[in-house]
Amino acid sequence: MDKITDSPVTDSDQPDEVAPDRPARDRTTRGAALIATLIALPVTVLVGALAFTQLSPDERAEPAATPSATATSVGPRSTAPVEMAAPALAERPATVCRALLSQLPATVNDLPQRPVTAGPEQNAAYGDPALTVACGGTEPAVGDTDDVWTVNKVCWYATEQSDATVLTTLDRETAVTVRVPRSYGQALQWVAPVSDTIVASVPSGGDAPSGCRN
């Protein structure tokens, strides 16, 4: 029978005690967290900046263009009848004026036609303030050196009033007068549509100034 003997165990035979590794792990964990924080911080700032950009107006963007106000686009416009005189006309001028009024356009540029208080067979009005067309009036006396303007083959003479320019034909059998409010700017641009109708409906005639014939 074998004899079991106890062998003394010396300190040298004990395994070396391993130092706890928690401090090392803690340092590693804190380092990783710090790196993650440093990475996440600029990303968060970037996301916040993008969100602010989406929610806030761009101060560098130019403002949208505001449409310019015109005489026909500002405020409410009256459609009530325009007060106009209607003097009695001889048979021939009355016939010519009826032809003219029947062919006038429904608008002059962007001014819609309005009713008149008298003489719809010889008067017309457009817009507010009213641009008016009167047929059968008196042709003004004009010298050869006075300024005249030809618009679409119709010769016009202009006189200035405090609130309007009054243009009257000089080369037609029956005179036609157009009164253009000053707020509408250059008066001659407004008589172009009327000139086209005059050429089609009012015969030429009379002793026009030399400026109309050049």
Side-chain angles (χ1 to χ4, degrees):
M1 182 176 188
D2 294 336
K3 183 178 180 180
I4 300 175
T5 59
D6 294 332
S7 299
V9 178
T10 64
D11 292 338
S12 61
D13 294 329
Q14 293 288 340
D16 293 336
E17 185 175 339
V18 178
D21 59 352
R22 181 174 298 173
R25 288 198 300 271
D26 289 346
R27 286 194 298 272
T28 302
T29 302
R30 286 196 298 270
L34 179 60
I35 293 174
T37 300
L38 292 176
I39 293 174
L41 181 59
V43 173
T44 302
V45 172
L46 178 59
V47 171
L50 291 175
F52 180 80
T53 301
Q54 293 294 326
L55 296 175
S56 302
D58 187 356
E59 294 181 355
R60 295 173 298 175
E62 295 181 0
T66 303
S68 299
T70 66
T72 59
S73 65
V74 178
R77 296 294 165 184
S78 175
T79 58
V82 177
E83 185 173 352
M84 296 185 69
L89 300 177
E91 182 178 356
R92 176 60 182 173
T95 301
V96 172
C97 288
R98 282 195 297 271
L100 170 66
L101 269 293
S102 68
Q103 297 184 48
L104 282 175
T107 61
V108 170
N109 293 343
D110 58 348
L111 302 179
Q113 189 167 6
R114 294 172 58 185
V116 294
T117 57
E121 72 284 349
Q122 63 193 77
N123 294 323
Y126 296 85
D128 180 22
L131 178 152
T132 61
V133 181
C135 180
T138 302
E139 186 177 285
V142 178
D144 285 341
T145 59
D146 289 337
D147 290 330
V148 295
W149 289 269
T150 299
V151 179
N152 292 8
K153 300 180 180 181
V154 176
C155 187
W156 297 91
Y157 175 73
T159 57
E160 300 296 335
Q161 297 180 351
S162 60
D163 59 347
T165 298
V166 179
L167 295 123
T168 305
T169 60
L170 298 176
D171 59 348
R172 298 291 133 177
E173 179 184 311
T174 299
V176 179
T177 299
V178 178
R179 185 180 184 275
V180 182
R182 285 190 177 277
S183 59
Y184 290 169
Q186 172 55 251
L188 291 175
Q189 67 179 327
W190 295 95
V191 298
V194 180
S195 294
D196 292 337
T197 307
I198 290 173
V199 169
S201 58
V202 181
S204 59
D207 187 17
S210 58
C212 296
R213 299 190 295 268
N214 294 335

